Each structure stands twice: as structure tokens, then as C-alpha cells.
Amino acid sequence: MNPVVVALCVGMLFVAALCALIRVAKGPTMLDRVVALDVVVATVVIGLCVEAAANRHATTLPVIVVLALVGFVGSVSVARYAAKESDEERGKR
Amino acid sequence: MNPVAEVVVSIALLLGCLLTVLAAVGLLRLSDLLARMHTTAKPQVLGVLLALVGVGLQLHRATDIAMIVAIGAFQLLTVPVAAHMVGRAAYRTGQVDPSVLAHDDLAEELERERRSAG
């Protein structure tokens, strides 16, 4: 694969993960963080795909399966037990 | 590997990464939870599928292709379920402003349940 394409992909994924992590830090609610962490998981999955495509191997495919599964279970369980949050819990300043 | 496949793989991977960036920027710029959920579903489904296409065109073993198809199918099945549950949880915990909704089916449903119970 063309190294320029790989560099572009990695750069874009870096920016995406950074934006998503800023949203995780800012909140304001737990569900906002869950949604942002879903994007982080998707970014990691796509990053593993880019790496596998660049080096033409299939070693990380089981890792991708497990990541997708864990991301789903995580977001569903947090949504399941989401509670009403008061303003001070959200850390409004 | 032939040059046509090389170009297709590059385009697929670049599009997947671009979708991820757009979703993350939307995550920062959009105002409420429902709007943010709308952007985040894009890289989770289409972005991952494009990246899997990029990997799948480079591999030839049947087991690898089967695993890639399984990942894609799994994403298609689970992402809507997770988004649905997060949206309902947001509604239940009062984090959705009813004034931004064009039509509120869930409120009518809950009202009907309350009337049939009482």
C-alpha cells in the first residue's frame, strides 16, 4: 500500500480520536460519554483495519471481533442503568 | 496485487477514516445528545464496513473472509440496538428536550399506558 495513504488515514484517525476524547472529558452527561466512547471504539477498529490492510495480514481480525463485541455490551449496559443526573452531578460550573 | 484493487482499497480506507473524522467533529460541534447520536452511527456502520472492504480485498483465505463478513454483520445488528437503547435511556432520564422533537411517539405511548393502567 502507498505510504501516503496510510499516513493520511492515521492522521485522520488521530484527529478523530482526539475530538471524541475531548467530548468524553467534557460530558456533560454519562450518555454523552457513552456515545463518544462508541466513536473511540469505532476509531480503534478502523485503525486496526488500516494496519491489517497496510501489512496484508489477518492477525488482528479476532481482536476486531472482540472489540466490536465489548463496545456493544458496554454501551448497552450503561444505557440500561442510566439514572437521572442532577445538575451538580454533571459538574456544571 | 493488481493496481485496480490497490486503488479501491486506498479509497475505501480513506473514506472510512474521513467518516470517522466528520463524526468526531460533529460530536464536538452539535448541541444535544440526539444530534450527536445521529453523527456517531456513521463511522460505526459505514466507516467500519468500508475499512473491512479495504482489508477483505487483500486477503484470500476463506476463514479471514468469513470473519470479516461476521464483523460487518455484527456491526449492522448491534449498532442500531445500542443507539436505540441509549436514546430511550436519554428520554427516560429527561435529557431530551421535548421542544426539539417534531413528533413524540414515545410520549403518546406512555400516556396510553398510564390511562389503561389507571
Side-chain angles (χ1 to χ4, degrees), chain A residues 1 12 23 32 53 56 84, chain B residues 6 21 27-28 36 58:
Chain A
M1 271 214 13
M12 285 198 275
R23 176 51 70 190
D32 284 303
R56 305 193 62 181
K84 279 191 162 52
Chain B
E6 181 96 29
V21 173
L27 206 57
L28 279 183
R36 281 181 211 140
Q58 313 228 15

Side-chain angles (χ1 to χ4, degrees), chain A residues 25-87:
Chain A
K26 278 166 74 169
T29 66
M30 200 45 87
L31 291 171
D32 284 303
R33 294 189 176 95
V34 170
V35 168
L37 283 171
D38 273 346
V39 173
V40 174
V41 170
T43 309
V44 174
V45 166
I46 294 174
L48 285 169
C49 287
V50 169
E51 192 269 332
N55 299 328
R56 305 193 62 181
H57 64 71
T59 321
T60 48
L61 282 185
V63 182
I64 295 173
V65 174
V66 171
L67 252 182
L69 224 146
V70 168
F72 168 67
V73 171
S75 55
V76 163
S77 47
V78 175
R80 187 72 221 157
Y81 298 109
K84 279 191 162 52
E85 294 180 30
S86 64
D87 281 350

Side-chain angles (χ1 to χ4, degrees), chain A residues 1-2 5 8-10 12-13 15-17 19-20 22-23 26-32 34-36 38-39 42-43 45-46 48-50 52-54 56-58 61-62 64-65 68-69 72 75-76 79-80 82-85 90, chain B residues 1 6 9-10 13-14 16-18 20-21 23-25 27-30 32-33 36-37 40 43-44 47-48 51-52 54-55 57-61 64-65 67-68 71 74-75 77-79 81-82 85-86 89-90 92-95:
Chain A
M1 271 214 13
N2 192 340
V5 173
L8 270 174
C9 285
V10 171
M12 285 198 275
L13 289 173
V15 172
C19 291
I22 290 171
R23 176 51 70 190
K26 278 166 74 169
T29 66
M30 200 45 87
L31 291 171
D32 284 303
V34 170
V35 168
D38 273 346
V39 173
T43 309
V45 166
I46 294 174
L48 285 169
C49 287
V50 169
R56 305 193 62 181
H57 64 71
L61 282 185
I64 295 173
V65 174
L69 224 146
F72 168 67
S75 55
V76 163
R80 187 72 221 157
K84 279 191 162 52
E85 294 180 30
R90 291 182 201 175
Chain B
M1 164 170 196
E6 181 96 29
V9 166
S10 301
L13 290 177
L14 283 171
C17 295
L18 190 66
T20 317
V21 173
V25 170
L27 206 57
L28 279 183
R29 292 190 51 90
L30 290 172
D32 67 343
L33 180 67
R36 281 181 211 140
M37 279 172 55
T40 54
Q44 284 182 289
V48 169
L52 289 174
V55 180
L57 285 174
Q58 313 228 15
L59 303 174
H60 304 293
R61 280 215 317 261
D64 298 341
I65 304 293
M67 206 175 263
I68 285 171
I71 298 168
F74 190 77
Q75 285 293 95
L77 286 173
T78 56
V79 168
V81 173
M85 288 196 66
V86 171
R92 248 184 326 115
T93 54
Q95 293 169 26

Side-chain angles (χ1 to χ4, degrees), chain B residues 55-118:
Chain B
V55 180
L57 285 174
Q58 313 228 15
L59 303 174
H60 304 293
R61 280 215 317 261
T63 48
D64 298 341
I65 304 293
M67 206 175 263
I68 285 171
V69 171
I71 298 168
F74 190 77
Q75 285 293 95
L76 283 173
L77 286 173
T78 56
V79 168
V81 173
H84 184 89
M85 288 196 66
V86 171
R88 260 184 108 90
Y91 191 96
R92 248 184 326 115
T93 54
Q95 293 169 26
V96 176
D97 178 14
S99 64
V100 301
L101 300 175
H103 188 74
D104 195 345
D105 281 323
L106 191 52
E108 293 170 17
E109 188 67 32
L110 293 173
E111 182 65 30
R112 210 175 306 126
E113 274 178 23
R114 238 202 343 262
R115 251 180 306 173
S116 64

